Amino acid sequence: MGDILEWRGDAYQVLACCGVFILLSWVLTKLLGLTWKRGLRVGDPHKGHRWFMTEILDKPTYCNFCERPLVRGGYCENCGISVHEECIDGATKRFACKVLVLSKRNYMNHQWVRGNLPLCSTCSVCGFHCGTEPRLCDLRCIWCQDKTHDQCLRSKSNVCDFGKYKTMILPPHCISLTVEHWRSKKRFVVREVSTPPIKNWSPLLVFANRKSGDNEGERLLMAFKNLLNPVQVVDLHEVPPESALEFCKLLPNVRTRILVCGGDGSVGWVLGALDKVKLKLPPYIGILPLGTGNDLARVLGWGSGYTGEEDVNEVLTSVMMANVTPLDRWKITIESNRRYFDVRRRKKVFWMNNYFSIGCDAKVVLNFHLHRESQPSLFTSRIINKAVYGLYGARDVLEQDCKDLHEVVELEMDGRKVDLPELEGIVFLNINSWCGGCELWVEGDEEHPLPPSINDGILEVAGLYSALHIARLQVNMADPLRLGQARSIKLTLKDTRSLPVQVDGEPWEEGPCVITITRHNQALMLAKGQKQEQIL
């Protein structure tokens, strides 16, 4: 007993010292003005071209500096000019990069780049094909994407209207930046944004992690910077979504749009950040799915995963044409039944967009997650990921780690206790896509008449007999066990052992506890090619 009291005393002293240190640090930074301001961070607008070195190009390309054919070299991720490696210095001095910020002006002139036009380009003046000769010829505006022959240029107006994406582009003359200093470092943050005279203007922010997918994240960041203002394209590897969403506060009366390039985890990260920022007009959220799974993207019509075959122009067009549909979001509260030194552990809170599950499917996801963390270099493609999932599923068929789950959990739905049959897993569905596109609740029946919906405030609850049952469900060789529909869930884990659980593909093990699931709020999502839902 004396040892325990001595340990507690030392712990309290350490906590007190940490608290004093944090308080002093906060006071000093306030007095010295060294705190970083929250806001959308951007690159240095005076830096010029941002070169990306590439070993191979996917179409015939010519150097913008020496005009000779180009196989490998540098590619500016903002303006799109291509040069040989030895021509980079000369091109940097000769060609201006895409202007991020343009002060003291209320309009934008065309910014032309010569040659390397997309295939099947058409002149905006005469209507004939351009950029077809085997040399560096004809012009493209890097803002409105207009193409024109050299001889047709004189017939073009000098003022750029930003083309067909003008309702999504943030004009450079509408932005002002501020510089923040921290010791010897500085960064640029968007300080003010004015609304341009463009009808139905709703600027788009693109969120992507350059580490996502098989380098797809990095390629998408460059592609969107070419079509939009690079200020609008955010690398989540460098800028957290909470900081980027501060941009929306600069436009309190304008509804912005956000395109999240990533998986369900990235979408959940952004939606969680929206809860913290608390905007007057929440943005509309679209998805460009990367990686595997992507159940939410499937339900909203964005597909199972971006493969690079769809042109980024088509993606932006889909975002412009998408409909708005609310998405229920759920709060999961976990209160442990275990006590440490007669003190109950604090509650844990998670947010669910897709589904929550316990048992055999969460076990497979947990094994996959641990394997990927220990050997990340092995998981470089969707095919490998699916193969590893299959191997762990087959192993669980033999081991049956979650056998007799029905004996160690107690389920209540809307305050009514449910008698469970022999099960190895339970899934609580907000969307009708689970485990990479499997539909567990296709439509209502006599016992459960309500069809599944992502915005009705109701969860569908299904049971899983085993890992083999999961495999059969994925190939439509078995039917799910429907346990019911409910607006609130209470799940009690009575066993002393830890059981695998997952929220939207994020797994862990949980010991004896009480889990409650209640509706949290709604997010406004963009659905591709679907009938518009009523916004609640």
Side-chain angles (χ1 to χ4, degrees):
M1 188 65 182
D3 293 339
I4 293 177
L5 293 176
E6 182 179 355
W7 178 85
R8 283 185 176 179
D10 294 340
Y12 290 145
Q13 290 180 4
V14 172
L15 290 174
C17 291
C18 291
V20 172
F21 176 77
I22 293 172
L23 179 62
L24 290 175
S25 300
W26 180 83
V27 171
L28 287 174
T29 52
K30 284 293 183 182
L31 291 175
L32 298 176
L34 297 177
T35 54
W36 289 111
K37 296 179 181 178
R38 294 178 63 86
L40 177 58
R41 301 201 302 264
V42 300
D44 187 345
H46 311 295
K47 187 177 180 180
H49 297 286
R50 287 168 170 78
W51 300 107
F52 173 80
M53 305 308 296
T54 179
E55 291 296 324
I56 188 169
L57 299 167
D58 58 358
K59 66 176 183 177
T61 305
Y62 297 87
C63 175
N64 283 91
F65 184 75
C66 69
E67 301 189 8
R68 292 184 289 111
L70 179 68
V71 177
R72 62 177 64 89
Y75 173 85
C76 179
E77 62 180 29
N78 285 351
C79 68
I81 68 170
S82 302
V83 295
H84 294 100
E85 186 174 357
E86 59 270 20
C87 297
I88 287 180
D89 291 338
T92 301
K93 296 176 183 178
R94 180 187 297 181
F95 304 115
C97 190
K98 205 168 190 177
V99 180
L100 306 185
V101 180
L102 192 63
S103 58
K104 299 180 180 179
R105 190 184 292 181
N106 58 3
Y107 65 93
M108 178 78 190
N109 285 332
H110 288 290
Q111 192 171 353
W112 300 105
V113 170
R114 180 174 298 281
N116 301 320
L117 271 61
L119 299 176
C120 302
S121 295
T122 303
C123 177
S124 59
V125 177
C126 67
F128 290 98
H129 289 297
C130 57
T132 57
E133 299 182 29
R135 62 184 179 89
L136 197 73
C137 64
D138 300 332
L139 301 161
R140 172 181 64 92
C141 176
I142 58 179
W143 284 103
C144 66
Q145 307 304 318
D146 268 3
K147 292 90 177 175
T148 179
H149 295 106
D150 292 317
Q151 61 271 21
C152 294
L153 181 60
R154 67 188 68 179
S155 302
K156 287 282 294 183
S157 169
N158 289 332
V159 178
C160 178
D161 66 353
F162 298 100
K164 65 178 182 178
Y165 303 130
K166 60 185 176 183
T167 59
M168 294 195 292
I169 291 178
L170 179 61
H173 56 265
C174 294
I175 312 171
S176 62
L177 303 181
T178 185
V179 182
E180 297 182 350
H181 296 274
W182 176 267
R183 298 178 181 174
S184 60
K185 300 179 181 179
K186 68 177 181 179
R187 73 180 184 186
F188 294 84
V189 178
V190 178
R191 179 186 64 189
E192 186 178 355
V193 179
S194 59
T195 304
I198 299 175
K199 185 179 179 181
N200 299 324
W201 184 66
S202 177
L204 175 70
L205 290 179
V206 178
F207 290 172
N209 188 332
R210 56 186 168 89
K211 300 291 186 181
S212 295
D214 187 15
N215 294 325
E216 285 294 345
E218 189 169 41
R219 286 193 286 266
L220 286 170
L221 286 170
M222 290 190 293
F224 282 114
K225 285 180 180 179
N226 268 229
L227 295 176
L228 305 171
N229 190 327
V231 170
Q232 300 172 248
V233 184
V234 180
D235 184 358
L236 294 179
H237 186 71
E238 299 178 352
V239 180
E242 291 86 355
S243 296
L245 288 170
E246 291 289 327
F247 168 85
C248 302
K249 287 187 175 180
L250 303 176
L251 295 165
N253 299 317
V254 176
R255 181 88 68 175
T256 58
R257 287 173 282 193
I258 294 175
L259 179 63
V260 182
C261 305
D264 291 337
S266 298
V267 177
W269 188 18
V270 173
L271 293 178
L274 278 174
D275 289 339
K276 300 176 183 178
V277 177
K278 297 179 180 179
L279 300 173
K280 178 182 177 181
L281 288 177
Y284 298 148
I285 310 294
I287 307 173
L288 183 59
L290 301 179
T292 55
N294 302 314
D295 289 289
L296 182 57
R298 295 170 192 263
V299 170
L300 295 174
W302 296 102
S304 59
Y306 178 74
T307 60
E309 297 178 359
E310 185 179 9
D311 187 79
V312 173
N313 285 276
E314 297 176 8
V315 175
L316 290 180
T317 301
S318 297
V319 173
M320 291 177 61
M321 302 300 293
N323 296 316
V324 180
T325 181
L327 171 72
D328 289 335
R329 302 185 64 235
W330 298 80
K331 178 181 179 180
I332 300 177
T333 305
I334 301 178
E335 186 174 5
S336 176
N337 289 334
R338 291 175 176 171
R339 292 177 177 268
Y340 296 89
F341 302 115
D342 294 329
V343 177
R344 187 184 295 274
R345 295 178 63 182
R346 60 181 298 180
K347 297 179 181 179
K348 295 185 290 186
V349 178
F350 301 90
W351 313 108
M352 180 187 78
N353 306 309
N354 301 351
Y355 44 76
F356 170 80
S357 68
I358 179 172
C360 54
D361 72 318
K363 181 65 175 180
V364 174
V365 176
L366 179 60
N367 287 333
F368 174 84
H369 179 75
L370 295 175
H371 193 174
R372 184 171 57 181
E373 282 194 337
S374 62
Q375 295 178 298
S377 60
L378 294 178
F379 300 86
T380 57
S381 71
R382 296 177 188 173
I383 295 177
I384 293 177
N385 292 349
K386 290 181 178 179
V388 175
Y389 265 115
L391 289 174
Y392 280 120
R395 192 177 81 172
D396 193 66
V397 171
L398 301 175
E399 295 180 351
Q400 294 182 306
D401 289 337
C402 301
K403 187 179 180 180
D404 299 329
L405 180 72
H406 60 288
E407 296 181 355
V408 296
V409 300
E410 184 178 287
L411 174 63
E412 293 182 25
M413 301 169 59
D414 290 337
R416 178 178 58 84
K417 186 176 179 181
V418 178
D419 293 328
L420 297 174
E422 293 187 10
L423 292 175
E424 290 189 23
I426 306 174
V427 184
F428 305 89
L429 297 158
N430 182 43
I431 64 174
N432 194 23
S433 181
W434 160 82
C435 202
C438 182
E439 296 183 353
L440 291 183
W441 206 284
V442 180
E443 58 185 13
D445 55 22
E446 294 182 359
E447 187 176 355
H448 311 100
L450 295 176
S453 173
I454 64 174
N455 49 34
D456 60 357
I458 295 176
L459 292 175
E460 283 71 41
V461 185
L464 303 172
Y465 293 114
S466 64
L468 181 60
H469 186 206
I470 297 176
R472 297 182 64 193
L473 286 169
Q474 291 179 315
V475 294
N476 295 321
M477 293 182 63
D479 294 323
L481 173 62
R482 297 184 178 190
L483 297 177
Q485 295 171 302
R487 297 183 180 273
S488 64
I489 302 291
K490 181 179 179 181
L491 191 66
T492 303
L493 278 60
K494 301 180 291 185
D495 199 6
T496 56
R497 60 176 174 169
S498 296
L499 292 172
V501 297
Q502 67 154 331
V503 176
D504 294 346
E506 297 296 326
W508 72 95
E509 288 189 329
E510 194 64 58
C513 64
V514 176
I515 303 172
T516 56
I517 307 176
T518 55
R519 185 175 168 184
H520 173 54
N521 62 13
Q522 286 189 326
L524 300 179
M525 308 299 294
L526 291 174
K528 180 181 177 182
Q530 296 185 12
K531 184 179 178 180
Q532 184 168 353
E533 300 277 357
Q534 181 182 1
I535 299 178
L536 303 180

